[in-house]
Amino acid sequence: MQTSFESAVEEHLDDVHAYLVYLTGDRAAAEDLTADTFEKACRLWKRYDPHRGSARTWLCQIARTTALDHFRAEARRRRREHVYHLREQAEPSVGTFGEGLSPTIESALAALSAGEREVIALRVLLDLDGESAARLLGISATACSTRLSRALKKLEDGVRGHVAA
């Protein structure tokens, strides 16, 4: 049975938004990207094939592509600002990654690269299996597992560094 777009949105909106928060490290950007993701998904829904993967994985793939486009556009904007000496440096705000996280964990997450936060979001936050996460990232399941292990180790070291300080 084919899932309707409306039920897919209802079921996976929060997951896609949470994934984008972890990927971008910016709640406002994640909200905009979530809206863009579902707008694109609405236009592309007729192409969704449930035999190739879950709606959640398909939506996260669209979210990832949307976020990568956003990162590219942001990089171009920053280069332009640099040329005109208008570059701004913003610190991630407390509470960026979720409610109830300690400042120590927030800071450790902010220190991770977008790719490291992404694999943590997919495997830990969204609880995707290794195959699904790897497919979404375009890498092997082994590479995904290795990437997750390294990201979690870096996160653990970041938390330890704040606790020891």
Side-chain angles (χ1 to χ4, degrees), residues 72-133:
R72 287 184 200 106
E74 280 296 300
R76 287 190 302 272
R77 182 188 62 78
R78 284 192 182 118
R79 281 193 299 273
R80 284 192 305 268
E81 286 181 0
H82 181 69
V83 169
Y84 295 105
H85 301 85
L86 298 174
R87 186 173 204 175
E88 296 178 27
Q89 296 178 344
E91 291 294 318
S93 63
V94 175
T96 297
F97 297 104
E99 294 180 28
L101 294 179
S102 71
T104 300
I105 293 175
E106 284 278 346
S107 182
L109 281 167
L112 298 176
S113 71
E116 291 164 335
R117 286 193 309 267
E118 179 180 30
V119 74
I120 290 172
L122 291 172
R123 295 286 285 129
V124 178
L125 181 71
L126 298 181
D127 197 28
L128 287 182
D129 61 77
E131 279 297 320
S132 296

Side-chain angles (χ1 to χ4, degrees), residues 5-22:
F5 179 70
E6 293 80 14
S7 64
V9 171
E10 188 174 312
E11 187 174 348
H12 303 298
L13 177 65
D14 290 340
D15 290 339
V16 170
H17 180 259
Y19 168 63
L20 287 166
V21 168
Y22 272 72

